[in-house]
Amino acid sequence: MKARLILFLFFLFSYTVSQAQETTVTGTVTSAEDSFPVPGVNVLIKGTSRGTSTDFDGNYSLKVNRGEIVEFSSLGFKTVTVTITNQTTINITLESDVESLGEIVVIGYGTAKKRDLTGSIVSIDGDEVANKPATNPIASIQGKVSGLTVVNSGRVGQNPDIRIRGTSSRYNVSPLFVVDGIFSENIDFVNPNDIQSIEVLKDASSLVIFGVRGANGVIIVTTKKAKAGKMTVNFNSSLGIKNITGAPDLADATLFRELFDERLANEGLAPFAFYNEFTGNTDWVDRIANKSALMHNSNISIQNATDKNKISFGLGYRSEEGLIKEEELQRITVNLNNEFNVTEGFKIGLTINGLQDKLPNEGNFSSALNATPIVSPIHFDTRPEFNGLYNQLPIEIGGPQIGNPALVAEVIKNKKIEERYRFVGSMFAEVGFLKDFTFKASIYGDYNNFRKRAYVPIVGIYVSETDELENFNGNQITRVEQVNNVVFNFQQEYLLSYKKEFGKHDFNAVAGYTTTQHSEENFSGTVEHNPNSTVGIIPDNPRFWYVNVYPYGDPSTRKSNSSQFERSTSSLLTRLLYNFDGKYLLNTSYRRDATSQLAPNNRAQNFWSVGAGWVVSQEDFMPDSGSLNYLKLKGSVGALGNQALPDHVNYPFYPGVNQDATAVFGDQVIAGFIQRFEENPDLKWETVKMWEAGFESRWFDNRFAFNANYYNRKTEDLLVFVDTGVQAFFDNFGEIENKGFEFELSWDDNINDNFSYSIGGNITTIKNEVLSTFEDAAIFANGTASRTITGEPIGHFYGYIVDGIYQSNADIAALPPSSLGTYAPGDFKYRDVNGDGKITPADRTVIGNPTPDFTYGFYANLKYKNFYLNMDFQRVYGNEIYRNWGNGNSFAQFNYRTERADRWRGSGTSNWEPRLYSTDYNRQPSTYMIEDGSYFRIRNLQLGYGLDAKILEKLKIQQLKLFVNIQNLYTWKETSGFTPEAGGSPTSFGVDGGGYPIPVISTLGLSLTF
């Protein structure tokens, strides 16, 4: 009995002591960088499985015993440990860990530790694009990623021209976009505020897993998903204005009269007879511009997560006016992510992105650059039938070609309604088994519907020369056009993954089977009114803008057309990422693609890559202390494909037929058809062979990072359409090579608790060369001076070199004669390039290269207490722009650039601007049209303030930030157009047609989190 009593007292004492030692510790975890709470931090008692995680306010609560060690860890932060004594409150501040930042990155068909990768992947946080004014997220990272070239457009809602490591194909150079797993041609349907991260993949080791879709590079977009913690609501909104900058210098009315009169006199023509009718002085760019165009962007997101379910919902609205009157985009976006853990090893998920666009009635400034300033936009007259009409431009000075820019901007182009609806979604089921294996089955759908209804009105315009009212463009009939386009993509993926760490070995493997189906259906129709009908014209009212409009539409004029096609692929893929002892890395990938578009005997193609890396800093011979903290040498090599095709060609092996000559049989006319081109059973996709070598390094306690790569990408067996005039066929001919260096560096430092800063940048060199073409023949782009030929850059400019102006007849006599046309003193002096003693078409040569020698961007971010200032700068150097406006190379008389005031008027007056004379001789493509495309731009400035944590606590909100942002503040350029940026096709880019400016955008916004 005594023994039992002693035993009972012992257990009672032990329990009392244990209860005395156990206590509840609470606290808040914040970031040292901005003092904001850090959600999702793992709070774990070291050596046990007991723990918790911080909620969205950074708060935690954990039962602990005295003497235990509590570990606070989170991705991107240095781990903190605390030994428990008598504390009941422990607040933790986590410092950024540069070495682990971005440790987990999204790659093709999965994720991986960045340390295990041997390829070139740049990861960009969603915050980089969330508070910028661009509709397309990629437009906001211009200059931020080495090897990524982004040529933006000022047009509302228009996608930028995007190229990764140069121009490598004849028909298509746009990268593949992957949004939450689904393949897409663009990402304009994604709300920038819904983006969690963007990954840019550039090398073979990263791209081969995408097969024929990955040759031009891949940009992976991951949308936001809920994290562990309580419900969070985020609201952000911004208001902004856009203004034109860099407007070209054009002649006013006085200068125009002077120059035009001189031209007529030089040609021996009578003076212009209607100056008394045209007494205006109009700046047409200013007349049609929408000054201080407004933009508004608001978004709300709700996130909630439990042990079983994680759900995120986002809703956005955007309205944005264009730089021309009556242009406006209205956009609604919806994003939903839902993930449900059915059991511990089985989960299902759903993702939906939706978009509705009311598209702007797009115009351009080309006509405004060409229109003569002597015309007033509106005619004022005492006669009521003419008063208030738009004026037609003079018949001799662009009237038939241009009309009236104000009329086009304010009336004509607004007679259409364009809408777009897009829904992109996916569903998956994932099961884990045998501890290290995961099987995931996914289906994806992308539905894109474009609708258009347009009306051609009858609009009166006043013609001064005849003092009459005429119809604009001579149009006597009202007409309605209706278009409906549906594109649907469907994908299936079945992936088996294996991840295992044992000893010094770390495996990450995936194998899978995927299919894609793509289909398009296009319908268009038109109808006109019957001028002999008593019902009259089709009303100028959108409710009547349908092809079956009754009773106004004339059934006999109703026409329709349709087209449709389908294509599909199936693929096998596998990849292995292997890490031995944290020092030796191996990445291998393989993919086999089969397509319905090629001949059965050549339908499937194989692609592969091998990458290797060596983390030198992990070796024993490296010193434990010193300036170098991390060094990884890496390289990769591989071959993949490119399925780029010309527009409107869907089946390069199945040509189809075109209507040709007809035949008469009795009283019947029978239509004849001819095959579009010959089949080629050996046709295959282009092959892209690429390799790279480089290193990643971090120095000085991880404050300084420096990475470098050399890349070489060669496209072989170019897919080309050949038309000899006798034969037409597709075949594989030609090679294009891109090579260069990429450098990235950054420095991050905290001076004290109040002040921190980071600076960094990147630079990319690009050397492009066409190694061969079909029979070494030149490829000319229609309507421009762009040419592609063996031994030169793709799409280079081709023409004559201007060595000055002929100053006298003696000057002409002393130089080689020209066969290009009639010329005289004051005309261009073309160079005899081939030295044969005469000027002929054989003297045309390379006069410019639209591909820059190098591009770079750099940034500086400063933070003082709750204030921050972020600055981005961008530079493009070594490319040329072909000015395709204001050259006087049109048969019609247009307005002049002010540079023409310095024209040649006699010996010694000018050696660059030719005389005023309408001659074919001076219209030849030449270096006169070439401008230096180099520029430097203050890309983005943002000043912001985050409300102090103590105030936030009182207001019971998690975060409140206010910011002002200025984009494209100033651009130093040498071009005479609105902007030095000019995109285009693979074989014709860098051509400035006058087009559209890049605006300065000023926005004021806030971000609020509950």
Side-chain angles (χ1 to χ4, degrees):
M1 183 68 180
K2 184 177 180 180
R4 291 181 180 178
L5 179 60
I6 294 173
L7 187 61
F8 172 78
L9 293 175
F10 173 77
F11 279 114
L12 181 62
F13 174 79
S14 299
Y15 177 79
T16 304
V17 170
S18 67
Q19 289 300 301
Q21 288 182 329
E22 186 178 68
T23 184
T24 299
V25 175
T26 61
T28 303
V29 180
T30 58
S31 167
E33 183 177 0
D34 52 21
S35 299
F36 290 154
V38 183
V41 176
N42 294 316
V43 185
L44 185 68
I45 298 175
K46 198 169 183 178
T48 75
S49 59
R50 293 158 44 217
T52 185
S53 60
T54 58
D55 61 21
F56 273 94
D57 292 323
N59 298 320
Y60 73 94
S61 176
L62 180 66
K63 289 184 177 181
V64 296
N65 295 320
R66 184 182 303 170
E68 290 183 321
I69 298 174
V70 180
E71 187 176 76
F72 298 82
S73 63
S74 181
L75 180 63
F77 296 93
K78 294 180 180 179
T79 299
V80 174
T81 58
V82 177
T83 301
I84 301 300
T85 56
N86 296 317
Q87 309 101 313
T88 57
T89 301
I90 302 177
N91 295 320
I92 299 295
T93 300
L94 296 181
E95 295 183 356
S96 296
D97 184 358
V98 178
E99 189 167 351
S100 66
L101 280 173
E103 183 180 356
I104 302 299
V105 297
V106 180
I107 57 177
Y109 303 99
T111 60
K113 299 174 184 177
K114 187 172 178 58
R115 71 176 192 190
D116 293 341
L117 299 177
T118 61
S120 292
I121 298 178
V122 179
S123 184
I124 301 162
D125 192 89
D127 290 341
E128 291 285 343
V129 300
N131 53 3
K132 304 300 189 301
T135 54
N136 189 303
I138 304 303
S140 295
I141 62 174
Q142 184 182 43
K144 287 183 172 291
V145 179
S146 63
L148 177 67
T149 302
V150 179
V151 177
N152 280 323
S153 168
R155 296 180 188 274
V156 181
Q158 182 164 319
N159 294 320
D161 185 322
I162 303 169
R163 307 186 188 199
I164 296 178
R165 290 182 171 176
T167 304
S168 59
S169 181
R170 179 178 174 182
Y171 296 120
N172 189 348
V173 293
S174 178
L176 170 69
F177 295 94
V178 182
V179 181
D180 291 330
I182 191 165
F183 292 2
S184 181
E185 304 300 324
N186 60 66
I187 57 170
D188 60 354
F189 63 92
V190 180
N191 186 335
N193 292 277
D194 291 332
I195 293 178
Q196 179 67 36
S197 68
I198 299 174
E199 272 77 26
V200 181
L201 283 58
K202 301 182 287 185
D203 78 305
S205 182
S206 308
L207 298 173
V208 163
I209 198 74
F210 295 100
V212 296
R213 300 293 297 272
N216 293 328
V218 174
I219 297 178
I220 299 178
V221 176
T222 304
T223 58
K224 292 179 179 178
K225 297 172 177 61
K227 299 177 182 179
K230 66 179 184 180
M231 177 181 289
T232 298
V233 179
N234 178 264
F235 172 78
N236 60 75
S237 183
S238 64
L239 294 172
I241 57 173
K242 306 192 301 182
N243 287 292
I244 294 175
T245 182
D249 294 324
L250 302 170
D252 61 9
T254 301
L255 180 58
F256 179 86
R257 292 189 187 96
E258 176 187 339
L259 299 179
F260 187 46
D261 286 347
E262 185 175 318
R263 196 212 96 182
L264 295 175
N266 288 344
E267 296 176 12
L269 300 175
F272 184 60
F274 297 98
Y275 279 135
N276 60 323
E277 296 290 336
F278 299 103
T279 59
N281 186 15
T282 302
D283 181 340
W284 288 102
V285 171
D286 183 74
R287 178 62 174 79
I288 70 172
N290 183 16
K291 302 175 184 65
S292 297
L294 298 176
M295 59 186 304
H296 164 243
N297 189 23
S298 290
N299 305 273
I300 187 170
S301 64
I302 303 172
Q303 295 179 333
N304 189 35
T306 64
D307 294 338
K308 282 286 188 180
N309 192 37
K310 296 179 181 179
I311 186 168
S312 176
F313 173 78
L315 178 66
Y317 173 76
R318 183 185 190 93
S319 64
E320 180 178 352
E321 296 179 348
L323 299 177
I324 298 178
K325 294 177 179 178
E326 308 301 328
E327 293 181 344
E328 184 181 13
L329 168 72
Q330 293 186 36
R331 172 171 293 179
I332 297 174
T333 58
V334 177
N335 171 262
L336 174 66
N337 278 292
N338 192 13
E339 187 176 294
F340 183 72
N341 295 318
V342 180
T343 64
E344 184 176 349
F346 177 55
K347 63 181 177 180
I348 58 177
L350 169 72
T351 298
I352 296 175
N353 285 283
L355 171 141
Q356 179 194 30
D357 269 349
K358 291 186 177 180
L359 298 170
N361 297 315
E362 289 187 350
N364 60 60
F365 285 92
S366 297
S367 62
L369 299 181
N370 290 323
T372 176
I374 64 174
V375 179
S376 297
I378 304 295
H379 181 72
F380 296 100
D381 201 315
T382 57
R383 294 170 293 179
E385 66 271 24
F386 293 151
N387 189 47
L389 292 175
Y390 288 90
N391 277 319
Q392 178 176 288
L393 298 187
I395 296 173
E396 296 180 45
I397 315 177
Q401 293 79 20
I402 302 174
N404 181 313
L407 171 61
V408 173
E410 297 166 3
V411 178
I412 301 300
K413 79 181 184 71
N414 297 314
K415 302 301 180 183
K416 63 180 179 181
I417 299 172
E418 292 181 327
E419 297 177 319
R420 185 166 66 117
Y421 301 87
R422 190 165 184 180
F423 299 94
V424 180
S426 66
M427 293 187 293
F428 77 88
E430 181 178 296
V431 59
F433 61 98
L434 298 179
K435 187 179 180 181
D436 303 313
F437 289 89
T438 303
F439 179 75
K440 184 177 182 180
S442 306
I443 59 173
Y444 306 86
D446 181 356
Y447 175 85
N448 192 350
N449 180 210
F450 169 78
R451 303 175 185 177
K452 173 183 176 181
R453 293 187 291 126
Y455 174 70
V456 178
I458 300 173
V459 180
I461 190 169
Y462 178 73
V463 182
S464 294
E465 292 95 329
T466 62
D467 191 31
E468 293 178 345
L469 170 66
E470 294 187 2
N471 290 336
F472 180 71
N473 281 341
N475 184 46
Q476 307 291 332
I477 303 292
T478 57
R479 184 173 68 253
V480 167
E481 176 187 9
Q482 196 171 345
V483 175
N484 191 57
N485 171 255
V486 175
V487 179
F488 182 70
N489 290 292
F490 181 74
Q491 290 175 223
Q492 299 179 75
E493 291 177 3
Y494 304 95
L495 303 174
L496 178 64
S497 301
Y498 172 74
K499 293 184 180 181
K500 179 71 174 179
E501 292 185 41
F502 57 91
K504 296 182 178 181
H505 305 277
D506 188 345
F507 291 91
N508 182 343
V510 63
Y513 172 73
T514 75
T515 67
T516 66
Q517 291 85 37
H518 176 91
S519 65
E520 291 191 25
E521 296 181 1
N522 303 280
F523 165 82
S524 62
T526 61
V527 69
E528 299 175 350
H529 88 265
N530 186 344
N532 299 318
S533 172
T534 58
V535 298
I537 65 173
I538 300 174
D540 185 1
N541 187 321
R543 62 179 291 225
F544 296 102
W545 297 355
Y546 294 94
V547 170
N548 65 342
V549 57
Y550 179 84
Y552 304 100
D554 182 359
S556 66
T557 66
R558 189 174 296 142
K559 300 177 182 178
S560 64
N561 188 30
S562 68
S563 64
Q564 52 281 321
F565 72 91
E566 294 181 354
R567 60 172 181 255
S568 62
T569 65
S570 62
S571 307
L572 296 172
L573 60 93
T574 181
R575 178 183 59 225
L576 170 66
L577 307 179
Y578 174 66
N579 178 333
F580 176 74
D581 199 20
K583 294 183 286 189
Y584 310 112
L585 314 175
L586 177 67
N587 295 181
T588 64
S589 298
Y590 168 81
R591 179 160 174 145
R592 180 174 176 84
D593 279 333
T595 176
S596 65
Q597 296 173 272
L598 297 179
N601 63 342
N602 205 23
R603 181 163 289 167
Q605 293 178 245
N606 301 316
F607 309 105
W608 60 272
S609 73
V610 176
W614 178 26
V615 185
V616 183
S617 54
Q618 292 291 99
E619 295 289 358
D620 293 337
F621 60 76
M622 293 294 292
D624 292 335
S625 61
S627 59
L628 178 62
N629 304 114
Y630 179 80
L631 175 62
K632 177 168 73 174
L633 305 180
K634 61 177 185 174
S636 67
V637 62
L640 57 163
N642 192 341
Q643 61 178 8
L645 287 170
D647 291 339
H648 310 301
V649 175
N650 300 303
Y651 309 106
F653 176 70
Y654 305 97
V657 295
N658 287 333
Q659 187 169 341
D660 196 52
T662 59
V664 179
F665 294 91
D667 59 353
Q668 292 186 333
V669 178
I670 306 300
F673 295 88
I674 186 173
Q675 189 167 294
R676 294 178 63 192
F677 50 84
E678 300 176 20
E679 302 100 331
N680 181 355
D682 298 320
L683 192 68
K684 60 181 181 179
W685 296 134
E686 298 173 356
T687 300
V688 181
K689 297 180 179 179
M690 59 176 69
W691 65 272
E692 75 163 30
F695 66 85
E696 299 174 7
S697 67
R698 289 190 288 273
W699 306 69
F700 310 119
D701 293 328
N702 291 313
R703 288 177 294 176
F704 177 65
F706 178 51
N707 307 326
N709 287 298
Y710 173 81
Y711 66 90
N712 185 291
R713 181 171 67 168
K714 183 187 294 184
T715 305
E716 300 177 347
D717 299 320
L718 286 171
L719 185 64
V720 296
F721 181 71
V722 179
D723 189 349
T724 65
V726 178
Q727 288 180 294
F729 54 91
F730 274 98
D731 214 330
N732 297 106
F733 289 106
E735 297 179 344
I736 299 174
E737 183 182 58
N738 289 275
K739 57 186 178 181
F741 291 91
E742 296 173 350
F743 302 97
E744 301 168 344
L745 54 87
S746 64
W747 177 277
D748 297 86
D749 201 2
N750 293 326
I751 303 301
N752 52 46
D753 292 340
N754 292 328
F755 180 68
S756 63
Y757 70 94
S758 62
I759 56 175
N762 68 84
I763 184 171
T764 303
T765 69
I766 305 173
K767 180 175 174 54
N768 173 275
E769 183 180 358
V770 178
L771 302 180
S772 65
T773 57
F774 173 67
E775 295 183 350
D776 289 333
I779 302 168
F780 287 92
N782 293 334
T784 70
S786 301
R787 183 185 74 152
T788 297
I789 197 170
T790 300
E792 301 293 347
I794 189 170
H796 64 266
F797 304 126
Y798 182 67
Y800 298 93
I801 297 176
V802 175
D803 280 335
I805 301 291
Y806 290 115
Q807 300 297 322
S808 64
N809 287 320
D811 199 8
I812 292 176
L815 294 170
S818 174
S819 64
L820 303 182
T822 303
Y823 58 102
D827 291 330
F828 287 135
K829 187 188 298 183
Y830 295 126
R831 181 180 298 179
D832 179 14
V833 173
N834 62 3
D836 63 356
K838 54 187 176 181
I839 308 299
T840 68
D843 291 308
R844 290 175 295 177
T845 186
V846 177
I847 59 174
N849 180 7
T851 299
D853 295 333
F854 66 82
T855 62
Y856 71 77
F858 65 94
Y859 67 88
N861 299 329
L862 310 175
K863 184 178 184 299
Y864 178 72
K865 293 186 177 180
N866 293 332
F867 290 92
Y868 69 88
L869 175 64
N870 298 335
M871 299 173 283
D872 297 324
F873 306 89
Q874 179 210 359
R875 171 75 157 144
V876 172
Y877 178 81
N879 63 306
E880 282 77 40
I881 296 293
Y882 185 86
R883 184 185 64 242
N884 205 29
W885 65 275
N887 303 319
N889 59 345
S890 169
F891 288 98
Q893 175 63 57
F894 295 148
N895 196 15
Y896 301 96
R897 293 177 292 113
T898 54
E899 287 90 339
R900 295 294 283 136
D902 298 325
R903 75 280 186 194
W904 187 90
R905 287 174 287 173
S907 180
T909 56
S910 176
N911 201 34
W912 184 249
E913 290 293 338
R915 63 177 175 150
L916 292 164
Y917 198 95
S918 180
T919 171
D920 291 343
Y921 187 82
N922 289 334
R923 294 184 181 129
Q924 308 296 327
S926 69
T927 52
Y928 177 71
M929 292 85 167
I930 297 296
E931 297 181 334
D932 183 359
S934 304
Y935 69 91
F936 178 79
R937 174 176 291 155
I938 303 176
R939 174 62 180 154
N940 211 79
L941 298 178
Q942 184 169 117
L943 176 65
Y945 174 77
L947 213 59
D948 187 83
K950 294 180 179 179
I951 301 176
L952 293 173
E953 186 177 356
K954 291 179 181 179
L955 297 175
K956 299 190 181 302
I957 59 177
Q958 180 177 327
Q959 175 182 292
L960 174 61
K961 290 199 299 185
L962 304 173
F963 66 88
V964 59
N965 194 91
I966 303 178
Q967 194 170 89
N968 308 319
L969 176 61
Y970 193 80
T971 301
W972 286 265
K973 64 184 180 72
E974 300 296 329
T975 56
S976 56
F978 285 108
T979 172
E981 295 189 70
S985 70
T987 57
S988 179
F989 57 101
V991 177
D992 179 11
Y996 215 93
I998 300 290
V1000 175
I1001 307 176
S1002 303
T1003 55
L1004 177 66
L1006 65 86
S1007 178
L1008 176 63
T1009 303
F1010 295 95

